[in-house]
Amino acid sequence: MTVAVGIEAINAFGGIAALDVSILAQHRGLEMSRFENLLMKQRAVPLPFEDPVTLAVNAAKPLVDALSEEERQRIELLIIGTESGIDFGKSMGTYVHDHLKLSRNCRQFELKQACYSGTAGLQMAVNFILSQVSPGAKALVIATDMSRFMVAEGGEALLQDWSYAEPSGGSGAVAVLVSETPHIFQIDVGANGYYGYEVMDTCRPEPDSEAGDADLSLLSYLDCCENSFREYQRRVEGVTYRETFQYLAFHTPFGGMVRGAHRTMMRKLAKAAPAEIDADFARRVQPGLTYCARVGNIMGATVLLSLASTICNGDFSSPKRIGCFSYGSGCCSEFYSGVVSQAGAERLRKMDIAGQLDARYLLSMEEYDSLLFSNNNLRFGMRNGTFNVAAFPQALAGMRGKQRLVLAEIREFHREYEWV
Protein backbone atom coordinates (compact mmCIF):
# COMPACT_ATOMS: atom_id res chain seq x y z
CA MET A 1 0.00 0.00 0.00
CA THR A 2 1.35 3.42 -0.95
CA VAL A 3 1.77 5.73 2.03
CA ALA A 4 0.38 9.26 1.71
CA VAL A 5 3.13 11.78 2.37
CA GLY A 6 3.62 15.51 2.29
CA ILE A 7 3.47 18.66 4.35
CA GLU A 8 1.44 18.34 7.52
CA ALA A 9 2.12 21.94 8.57
CA ILE A 10 4.11 24.90 7.27
CA ASN A 11 5.02 28.34 8.59
CA ALA A 12 7.18 31.21 7.42
CA PHE A 13 9.02 33.86 9.44
CA GLY A 14 10.05 37.05 7.66
CA GLY A 15 12.10 38.59 10.46
CA ILE A 16 11.38 41.41 12.88
CA ALA A 17 12.23 44.40 10.65
CA ALA A 18 11.75 45.28 6.99
CA LEU A 19 12.47 48.04 4.50
CA ASP A 20 10.31 49.62 1.80
CA VAL A 21 12.39 48.83 -1.28
CA SER A 22 10.98 51.63 -3.41
CA ILE A 23 12.51 54.07 -0.90
CA LEU A 24 15.76 52.10 -1.10
CA ALA A 25 15.75 52.26 -4.91
CA GLN A 26 15.24 56.03 -4.90
CA HIS A 27 17.91 56.47 -2.22
CA ARG A 28 20.41 54.46 -4.28
CA GLY A 29 19.50 56.36 -7.45
CA LEU A 30 18.42 53.25 -9.31
CA GLU A 31 16.65 53.47 -12.65
CA MET A 32 13.03 53.11 -11.55
CA SER A 33 11.84 51.31 -14.69
CA ARG A 34 14.42 48.57 -14.04
CA PHE A 35 13.56 48.50 -10.35
CA GLU A 36 9.83 48.09 -11.03
CA ASN A 37 10.60 44.92 -13.02
CA LEU A 38 11.78 43.33 -9.78
CA LEU A 39 8.13 43.22 -8.57
CA MET A 40 9.34 43.85 -5.01
CA LYS A 41 7.60 45.81 -2.24
CA GLN A 42 9.59 45.15 0.94
CA ARG A 43 12.60 43.16 2.02
CA ALA A 44 13.28 41.65 5.41
CA VAL A 45 16.36 43.14 7.09
CA PRO A 46 18.07 41.17 9.88
CA LEU A 47 18.74 43.06 13.08
CA PRO A 48 22.03 42.39 14.96
CA PHE A 49 20.35 39.94 17.34
CA GLU A 50 18.87 37.86 14.51
CA ASP A 51 20.76 35.06 12.80
CA PRO A 52 19.84 31.92 10.83
CA VAL A 53 19.18 30.05 14.07
CA THR A 54 16.68 32.59 15.42
CA LEU A 55 14.94 32.75 12.05
CA ALA A 56 14.68 28.95 11.91
CA VAL A 57 13.37 28.56 15.44
CA ASN A 58 10.87 31.41 15.12
CA ALA A 59 9.50 29.82 11.94
CA ALA A 60 9.25 26.33 13.41
CA LYS A 61 8.10 26.99 16.98
CA PRO A 62 4.38 27.48 16.16
CA LEU A 63 4.38 24.14 14.33
CA VAL A 64 6.07 22.29 17.19
CA ASP A 65 3.95 24.00 19.87
CA ALA A 66 0.78 22.82 18.10
CA LEU A 67 1.80 19.17 18.59
CA SER A 68 1.03 17.00 21.58
CA GLU A 69 4.04 15.79 23.57
CA GLU A 70 3.63 12.35 21.99
CA GLU A 71 3.61 13.88 18.49
CA ARG A 72 6.63 16.04 19.27
CA GLN A 73 8.54 12.92 20.29
CA ARG A 74 7.82 11.41 16.87
CA ILE A 75 9.93 14.08 15.13
CA GLU A 76 12.82 11.77 14.31
CA LEU A 77 14.54 13.81 11.61
CA LEU A 78 15.56 17.49 11.67
CA ILE A 79 17.10 18.93 8.50
CA ILE A 80 18.38 22.50 8.24
CA GLY A 81 18.89 23.79 4.70
CA THR A 82 21.04 26.91 4.44
CA GLU A 83 23.86 28.70 2.65
CA SER A 84 24.22 31.02 5.66
CA GLY A 85 25.95 28.61 8.03
CA ILE A 86 27.48 29.98 11.22
CA ASP A 87 30.20 27.34 11.63
CA PHE A 88 32.23 25.16 9.24
CA GLY A 89 31.77 22.11 11.48
CA LYS A 90 29.05 22.42 14.09
CA SER A 91 25.56 22.30 12.59
CA MET A 92 23.16 25.10 13.50
CA GLY A 93 20.65 22.27 13.83
CA THR A 94 22.08 21.61 17.29
CA TYR A 95 20.85 25.02 18.47
CA VAL A 96 17.52 24.64 16.68
CA HIS A 97 17.02 21.17 18.17
CA ASP A 98 17.73 22.51 21.65
CA HIS A 99 15.43 25.53 21.55
CA LEU A 100 12.55 23.56 20.01
CA LYS A 101 12.99 20.95 22.78
CA LEU A 102 12.94 18.02 20.38
CA SER A 103 13.63 14.45 21.41
CA ARG A 104 17.27 13.44 21.75
CA ASN A 105 16.37 10.41 19.63
CA CYS A 106 16.31 12.62 16.55
CA ARG A 107 18.68 12.56 13.61
CA GLN A 108 19.70 16.14 12.79
CA PHE A 109 22.06 17.75 10.32
CA GLU A 110 22.63 20.77 8.09
CA LEU A 111 22.89 20.68 4.31
CA LYS A 112 24.01 23.17 1.65
CA GLN A 113 23.17 23.32 -2.03
CA ALA A 114 22.63 27.04 -2.65
CA CYS A 115 18.93 27.90 -3.10
CA TYR A 116 18.02 24.26 -3.73
CA SER A 117 18.65 23.27 -0.08
CA GLY A 118 15.03 23.61 1.06
CA THR A 119 13.79 21.29 -1.66
CA ALA A 120 16.68 18.88 -1.06
CA GLY A 121 15.67 18.68 2.60
CA LEU A 122 11.98 18.31 1.76
CA GLN A 123 12.60 15.47 -0.71
CA MET A 124 14.92 13.70 1.74
CA ALA A 125 12.22 13.95 4.42
CA VAL A 126 9.55 12.69 2.02
CA ASN A 127 11.65 9.63 1.21
CA PHE A 128 12.33 8.99 4.91
CA ILE A 129 8.57 8.85 5.51
CA LEU A 130 7.98 6.71 2.41
CA SER A 131 10.68 4.24 3.50
CA GLN A 132 8.54 3.28 6.53
CA VAL A 133 11.64 2.42 8.54
CA SER A 134 9.83 4.11 11.44
CA PRO A 135 6.05 4.12 10.77
CA GLY A 136 4.31 7.21 12.11
CA ALA A 137 7.50 9.26 12.38
CA LYS A 138 7.65 12.93 11.39
CA ALA A 139 10.42 15.03 9.87
CA LEU A 140 11.00 18.74 10.42
CA VAL A 141 12.69 20.59 7.56
CA ILE A 142 13.70 24.23 8.02
CA ALA A 143 15.25 26.35 5.29
CA THR A 144 16.82 29.49 6.75
CA ASP A 145 18.97 32.12 5.06
CA MET A 146 20.22 35.70 5.28
CA SER A 147 21.45 37.88 2.41
CA ARG A 148 24.76 39.69 2.26
CA PHE A 149 25.69 42.46 -0.18
CA MET A 150 29.49 42.49 -0.29
CA VAL A 151 30.94 41.41 -3.63
CA ALA A 152 34.17 39.45 -3.41
CA GLU A 153 37.17 40.85 -5.24
CA GLY A 154 38.16 38.89 -8.32
CA GLY A 155 38.38 38.94 -12.08
CA GLU A 156 36.22 41.13 -14.27
CA ALA A 157 33.79 38.25 -14.90
CA LEU A 158 32.79 38.36 -11.26
CA LEU A 159 32.54 42.12 -10.86
CA GLN A 160 28.91 42.48 -11.91
CA ASP A 161 26.47 45.25 -11.05
CA TRP A 162 24.66 43.93 -7.96
CA SER A 163 22.91 47.20 -7.11
CA TYR A 164 19.61 45.71 -8.27
CA ALA A 165 20.15 42.65 -6.06
CA GLU A 166 20.09 44.73 -2.87
CA PRO A 167 16.34 45.50 -3.05
CA SER A 168 15.52 41.81 -3.57
CA GLY A 169 17.85 40.20 -1.03
CA GLY A 170 15.92 38.94 1.99
CA SER A 171 16.17 37.27 5.36
CA GLY A 172 13.87 34.64 6.77
CA ALA A 173 12.98 31.00 7.19
CA VAL A 174 10.28 28.51 6.27
CA ALA A 175 9.59 25.41 8.36
CA VAL A 176 7.71 22.37 7.08
CA LEU A 177 6.56 19.35 9.06
CA VAL A 178 6.56 16.27 6.83
CA SER A 179 4.52 13.20 7.72
CA GLU A 180 1.98 10.56 6.69
CA THR A 181 -0.80 13.09 7.34
CA PRO A 182 -0.24 15.73 4.63
CA HIS A 183 -2.96 18.15 5.72
CA ILE A 184 -1.48 21.05 3.73
CA PHE A 185 0.27 19.66 0.64
CA GLN A 186 0.09 16.03 -0.48
CA ILE A 187 3.16 15.20 -2.56
CA ASP A 188 2.72 13.52 -5.94
CA VAL A 189 5.01 10.58 -5.17
CA GLY A 190 7.47 9.83 -7.96
CA ALA A 191 6.54 12.96 -9.91
CA ASN A 192 9.95 14.62 -9.88
CA GLY A 193 12.13 16.03 -12.61
CA TYR A 194 15.64 16.96 -11.52
CA TYR A 195 18.34 18.58 -13.62
CA GLY A 196 21.77 20.03 -12.84
CA TYR A 197 25.34 20.62 -13.98
CA GLU A 198 28.42 22.67 -13.05
CA VAL A 199 28.13 26.39 -13.73
CA MET A 200 29.73 29.41 -12.02
CA ASP A 201 26.68 31.65 -11.92
CA THR A 202 26.80 32.72 -8.26
CA CYS A 203 28.95 31.63 -5.35
CA ARG A 204 30.15 32.56 -1.87
CA PRO A 205 33.93 32.29 -1.99
CA GLU A 206 34.05 33.70 1.54
CA PRO A 207 31.44 33.41 4.30
CA ASP A 208 30.59 37.11 4.23
CA SER A 209 30.78 37.84 0.52
CA GLU A 210 29.06 36.91 -2.71
CA ALA A 211 30.25 36.88 -6.32
CA GLY A 212 28.66 35.95 -9.58
CA ASP A 213 27.48 36.67 -13.08
CA ALA A 214 23.87 37.89 -13.08
CA ASP A 215 23.31 37.20 -16.79
CA LEU A 216 24.68 33.67 -16.54
CA SER A 217 22.53 33.06 -13.47
CA LEU A 218 19.39 34.05 -15.37
CA LEU A 219 20.28 31.81 -18.32
CA SER A 220 21.02 28.86 -16.02
CA TYR A 221 17.72 29.40 -14.18
CA LEU A 222 15.77 29.42 -17.46
CA ASP A 223 17.62 26.36 -18.75
CA CYS A 224 16.93 24.42 -15.56
CA CYS A 225 13.29 25.48 -15.44
CA GLU A 226 12.68 24.06 -18.90
CA ASN A 227 14.72 20.89 -18.55
CA SER A 228 13.61 19.91 -15.04
CA PHE A 229 10.02 20.23 -16.26
CA ARG A 230 10.78 18.19 -19.37
CA GLU A 231 12.23 15.45 -17.13
CA TYR A 232 9.10 15.61 -14.95
CA GLN A 233 7.02 15.35 -18.12
CA ARG A 234 9.04 12.31 -19.25
CA ARG A 235 8.36 10.53 -15.96
CA VAL A 236 4.65 11.42 -15.62
CA GLU A 237 2.33 10.49 -18.46
CA GLY A 238 0.02 13.07 -20.02
CA VAL A 239 1.52 16.17 -18.38
CA THR A 240 1.36 19.60 -20.02
CA TYR A 241 2.72 22.85 -18.61
CA ARG A 242 -0.48 24.77 -19.34
CA GLU A 243 -3.16 22.27 -18.25
CA THR A 244 -1.80 19.97 -15.53
CA PHE A 245 -1.15 22.54 -12.79
CA GLN A 246 -3.75 24.96 -11.49
CA TYR A 247 -0.98 26.94 -9.77
CA LEU A 248 2.80 27.25 -10.09
CA ALA A 249 5.26 28.09 -7.29
CA PHE A 250 8.76 29.18 -8.30
CA HIS A 251 12.05 29.80 -6.61
CA THR A 252 11.79 33.60 -6.60
CA PRO A 253 15.02 35.64 -6.57
CA PHE A 254 12.65 38.46 -7.59
CA GLY A 255 9.24 38.46 -9.23
CA GLY A 256 10.43 39.77 -12.58
CA MET A 257 12.70 36.75 -13.00
CA VAL A 258 9.77 34.42 -12.39
CA ARG A 259 7.62 36.35 -14.85
CA GLY A 260 10.34 35.99 -17.49
CA ALA A 261 10.70 32.26 -16.82
CA HIS A 262 6.96 31.67 -17.02
CA ARG A 263 6.75 33.69 -20.24
CA THR A 264 9.53 31.57 -21.77
CA MET A 265 7.86 28.32 -20.70
CA MET A 266 4.48 29.36 -22.10
CA ARG A 267 6.03 30.42 -25.40
CA LYS A 268 8.10 27.26 -25.82
CA LEU A 269 5.77 24.63 -24.40
CA ALA A 270 2.30 26.06 -24.98
CA LYS A 271 2.88 28.30 -28.03
CA ALA A 272 0.86 30.94 -26.16
CA ALA A 273 0.31 34.52 -27.32
CA PRO A 274 1.42 37.48 -25.12
CA ALA A 275 -2.09 38.33 -23.87
CA GLU A 276 -2.71 34.72 -22.86
CA ILE A 277 0.65 34.54 -21.10
CA ASP A 278 -0.08 37.69 -19.06
CA ALA A 279 -3.49 36.38 -18.00
CA ASP A 280 -2.04 32.99 -17.11
CA PHE A 281 0.73 34.61 -15.04
CA ALA A 282 -1.83 36.61 -13.06
CA ARG A 283 -3.98 33.54 -12.44
CA ARG A 284 -1.47 30.76 -11.76
CA VAL A 285 1.78 32.42 -10.70
CA GLN A 286 1.01 35.78 -9.06
CA PRO A 287 -0.50 34.28 -5.86
CA GLY A 288 2.87 32.68 -5.13
CA LEU A 289 4.72 36.00 -5.37
CA THR A 290 2.70 37.83 -2.72
CA TYR A 291 4.86 36.89 0.29
CA CYS A 292 8.10 36.79 -1.71
CA ALA A 293 7.53 40.43 -2.70
CA ARG A 294 7.44 41.32 1.01
CA VAL A 295 10.40 39.24 2.24
CA GLY A 296 12.87 39.05 -0.64
CA ASN A 297 15.03 36.19 -1.80
CA ILE A 298 15.57 33.87 1.17
CA MET A 299 17.49 31.42 -0.96
CA GLY A 300 16.80 27.83 0.15
CA ALA A 301 13.49 28.85 1.69
CA THR A 302 12.15 30.88 -1.23
CA VAL A 303 10.34 28.18 -3.20
CA LEU A 304 8.70 27.04 0.05
CA LEU A 305 7.68 30.64 0.76
CA SER A 306 6.19 30.80 -2.74
CA LEU A 307 4.32 27.55 -2.04
CA ALA A 308 2.89 28.94 1.22
CA SER A 309 1.95 32.18 -0.54
CA THR A 310 0.21 30.25 -3.31
CA ILE A 311 -1.85 28.25 -0.82
CA CYS A 312 -2.81 31.30 1.24
CA ASN A 313 -3.68 33.52 -1.74
CA GLY A 314 -5.10 31.02 -4.22
CA ASP A 315 -8.60 29.60 -4.68
CA PHE A 316 -8.81 26.07 -3.29
CA SER A 317 -12.57 25.69 -3.11
CA SER A 318 -11.85 22.43 -4.93
CA PRO A 319 -8.55 20.46 -4.78
CA LYS A 320 -5.82 22.01 -6.93
CA ARG A 321 -2.43 20.77 -8.09
CA ILE A 322 0.60 23.05 -7.63
CA GLY A 323 3.74 22.59 -9.71
CA CYS A 324 6.91 23.71 -7.92
CA PHE A 325 10.21 24.73 -9.51
CA SER A 326 13.28 24.87 -7.28
CA TYR A 327 16.67 26.15 -8.41
CA GLY A 328 20.03 26.42 -6.69
CA SER A 329 23.07 28.09 -8.23
CA GLY A 330 25.98 25.97 -9.21
CA CYS A 331 23.59 24.24 -10.12
CA CYS A 332 20.81 21.81 -9.19
CA SER A 333 17.10 22.12 -9.89
CA GLU A 334 13.89 20.17 -9.50
CA PHE A 335 10.28 20.32 -10.65
CA TYR A 336 7.80 18.52 -8.39
CA SER A 337 4.14 18.80 -7.49
CA GLY A 338 1.40 18.15 -4.98
CA VAL A 339 -2.27 18.70 -4.26
CA VAL A 340 -3.92 21.17 -1.87
CA SER A 341 -7.49 20.90 -0.59
CA GLN A 342 -9.81 23.58 0.78
CA ALA A 343 -9.32 22.24 4.32
CA GLY A 344 -5.55 22.42 3.88
CA ALA A 345 -5.65 25.99 2.64
CA GLU A 346 -7.88 27.04 5.53
CA ARG A 347 -5.54 25.35 8.00
CA LEU A 348 -2.52 27.23 6.64
CA ARG A 349 -4.31 30.59 6.57
CA LYS A 350 -4.80 30.28 10.34
CA MET A 351 -1.01 30.59 10.71
CA ASP A 352 -1.50 34.23 9.63
CA ILE A 353 1.80 34.60 7.81
CA ALA A 354 0.60 37.89 6.34
CA GLY A 355 -0.15 39.20 9.83
CA GLN A 356 3.39 38.41 10.93
CA LEU A 357 4.75 40.34 7.95
CA ASP A 358 2.45 43.27 8.77
CA ALA A 359 3.77 43.39 12.35
CA ARG A 360 7.41 43.97 11.36
CA TYR A 361 9.05 47.29 12.12
CA LEU A 362 9.67 49.36 8.96
CA LEU A 363 13.17 50.82 9.03
CA SER A 364 14.01 54.31 7.82
CA MET A 365 16.85 54.65 5.32
CA GLU A 366 19.01 56.20 8.03
CA GLU A 367 18.45 53.18 10.28
CA TYR A 368 19.08 50.79 7.39
CA ASP A 369 22.34 52.44 6.32
CA SER A 370 23.49 52.45 9.93
CA LEU A 371 22.83 48.71 10.11
CA LEU A 372 24.86 48.09 6.97
CA PHE A 373 27.79 49.94 8.51
CA SER A 374 27.53 48.05 11.81
CA ASN A 375 27.33 44.68 9.99
CA ASN A 376 31.12 44.82 9.69
CA ASN A 377 31.16 43.97 13.40
CA LEU A 378 29.09 40.80 12.83
CA ARG A 379 31.37 38.90 10.51
CA PHE A 380 31.59 35.13 10.30
CA GLY A 381 33.67 33.54 13.06
CA MET A 382 32.92 36.07 15.80
CA ARG A 383 34.43 34.78 19.03
CA ASN A 384 32.83 37.04 21.63
CA GLY A 385 30.05 39.61 21.50
CA THR A 386 26.85 40.79 23.12
CA PHE A 387 23.66 41.95 21.44
CA ASN A 388 21.37 44.59 22.87
CA VAL A 389 17.75 43.94 21.94
CA ALA A 390 16.67 47.10 23.76
CA ALA A 391 18.57 49.19 21.20
CA PHE A 392 15.61 48.68 18.85
CA PRO A 393 12.55 49.63 20.95
CA GLN A 394 10.30 50.20 17.92
CA ALA A 395 11.03 46.68 16.65
CA LEU A 396 10.30 45.28 20.09
CA ALA A 397 6.91 46.98 20.06
CA GLY A 398 5.90 44.91 17.04
CA MET A 399 6.80 41.74 18.95
CA ARG A 400 4.40 42.35 21.84
CA GLY A 401 2.33 39.28 22.60
CA LYS A 402 4.68 37.04 20.60
CA GLN A 403 7.58 35.01 21.95
CA ARG A 404 10.66 35.38 19.77
CA LEU A 405 14.10 33.84 20.07
CA VAL A 406 17.00 36.33 19.81
CA LEU A 407 20.77 36.05 19.92
CA ALA A 408 21.96 37.41 23.27
CA GLU A 409 25.67 36.66 23.35
CA ILE A 410 28.55 34.84 21.69
CA ARG A 411 30.96 33.52 24.30
CA GLU A 412 34.08 31.74 23.07
CA PHE A 413 32.28 31.00 19.78
CA HIS A 414 29.28 29.45 21.56
CA ARG A 415 26.02 31.20 20.70
CA GLU A 416 23.64 31.89 23.56
CA TYR A 417 20.01 32.73 22.87
CA GLU A 418 17.09 33.97 24.90
CA TRP A 419 13.35 34.34 24.49
CA VAL A 420 11.90 37.85 24.54
Side-chain angles (χ1 to χ4, degrees):
M1 183 179 71
T2 302
V3 176
V5 64
I7 297 176
E8 176 181 332
I10 181 171
N11 186 46
F13 181 69
I16 294 169
L19 180 69
D20 183 323
V21 293
S22 64
I23 296 175
L24 172 64
Q26 292 170 19
H27 182 71
R28 294 283 187 255
L30 302 184
E31 183 182 335
M32 293 309 292
S33 60
R34 285 187 64 191
F35 164 73
E36 288 165 2
N37 184 56
L38 297 178
L39 301 182
M40 290 294 304
K41 295 181 179 178
Q42 298 171 326
R43 57 165 295 233
V45 179
L47 298 179
F49 50 81
E50 293 184 284
D51 70 1
V53 172
T54 68
L55 297 172
V57 172
N58 289 329
K61 191 173 190 301
L63 306 186
V64 175
D65 286 352
L67 300 174
S68 67
E69 183 56 31
E70 181 181 359
E71 290 171 324
R72 185 192 298 239
Q73 293 297 313
R74 291 313 313 273
I75 298 177
E76 297 181 15
L77 176 62
L78 170 65
I79 302 175
I80 306 297
T82 188
E83 59 177 83
S84 308
I86 57 176
D87 188 285
F88 283 127
K90 179 180 172 65
S91 166
M92 72 173 75
T94 57
Y95 293 112
V96 175
H97 176 275
D98 181 48
H99 288 287
L100 292 177
K101 302 187 185 305
L102 301 182
S103 165
R104 292 201 170 188
N105 303 118
C106 176
R107 180 184 289 127
Q108 65 88 10
F109 55 89
E110 176 182 314
L111 59 84
K112 173 182 69 66
Q113 185 57 42
C115 298
Y116 176 71
S117 66
T119 291
L122 172 63
Q123 297 297 345
M124 187 173 291
V126 164
N127 284 285
F128 167 67
I129 302 300
L130 286 173
S131 74
Q132 287 294 283
V133 293
S134 182
K138 301 178 188 294
L140 180 61
V141 179
I142 312 172
T144 177
D145 266 308
M146 299 170 66
S147 291
R148 307 183 194 280
F149 299 102
M150 292 176 286
V151 178
E153 293 184 5
E156 290 183 4
L158 294 181
L159 296 178
Q160 300 294 321
D161 177 10
W162 286 97
S163 59
Y164 290 88
E166 186 184 12
S168 60
S171 176
V174 178
V176 294
L177 188 66
V178 181
S179 75
E180 299 170 19
T181 53
H183 299 307
I184 305 296
F185 184 69
Q186 182 165 338
I187 290 282
D188 291 325
V189 175
N192 307 77
Y194 20 89
Y195 187 79
Y197 50 90
E198 197 284 319
V199 61
M200 196 63 167
D201 56 339
T202 67
C203 65
R204 285 193 176 185
E206 298 172 343
D208 297 314
S209 65
E210 295 183 11
D213 183 326
D215 292 335
L216 180 60
S217 185
L218 173 60
L219 292 173
S220 181
Y221 180 98
L222 294 175
D223 181 41
C224 284
C225 186
E226 178 182 350
N227 284 291
S228 63
F229 174 75
R230 287 191 185 279
E231 177 62 11
Y232 177 102
Q233 192 176 42
R234 186 187 70 81
R235 292 167 180 253
V236 184
E237 187 178 354
V239 168
T240 68
Y241 184 79
R242 178 161 50 185
E243 303 295 338
T244 302
F245 314 99
Q246 288 72 57
Y247 290 102
L248 293 161
F250 286 76
H251 168 57
T252 307
F254 55 90
M257 191 165 178
V258 171
R259 182 168 58 187
H262 180 64
R263 181 186 300 120
T264 300
M265 294 289 282
M266 288 292 285
R267 284 174 177 168
K268 282 191 173 185
L269 303 178
K271 309 302 180 187
E276 180 187 358
I277 294 173
D278 290 343
D280 191 76
F281 175 80
R283 178 173 58 86
R284 291 200 296 162
V285 182
Q286 189 70 53
L289 303 184
T290 304
Y291 295 161
C292 298
R294 301 191 61 191
V295 177
N297 181 11
I298 47 175
M299 297 166 237
T302 307
V303 70
L304 300 175
L305 182 63
S306 179
L307 175 62
S309 183
T310 300
I311 297 171
C312 288
N313 295 288
D315 175 9
F316 293 91
S317 52
S318 60
K320 304 284 173 60
R321 175 163 280 105
I322 303 175
C324 303
F325 170 63
S326 177
Y327 174 81
S329 293
C331 68
C332 188
S333 65
E334 184 163 348
F335 193 98
Y336 57 101
S337 62
V339 175
V340 176
S341 67
Q342 181 175 16
E346 291 174 352
R347 183 184 287 255
L348 178 54
R349 287 168 188 150
K350 291 178 181 176
M351 297 302 299
D352 193 23
I353 295 171
Q356 185 271 316
L357 298 179
D358 290 341
R360 296 175 301 176
Y361 173 64
L362 284 179
L363 296 162
S364 67
M365 272 310 306
E366 291 74 18
E367 290 170 317
Y368 174 71
D369 280 341
S370 176
L371 278 173
L372 290 183
F373 181 78
S374 65
N375 281 346
N376 289 326
N377 300 320
L378 303 172
R379 289 184 175 274
F380 182 90
M382 176 181 283
R383 182 167 186 165
N384 292 290
T386 57
F387 305 89
N388 182 14
V389 179
F392 298 87
Q394 302 95 329
L396 288 177
M399 295 164 54
R400 285 201 182 99
K402 304 178 183 69
Q403 192 178 41
R404 301 294 190 210
L405 188 72
V406 299
L407 177 62
E409 184 178 4
I410 298 177
R411 183 182 303 172
E412 293 301 322
F413 301 112
H414 185 257
R415 295 190 173 221
E416 300 180 8
Y417 298 89
E418 63 183 21
W419 293 100
V420 298

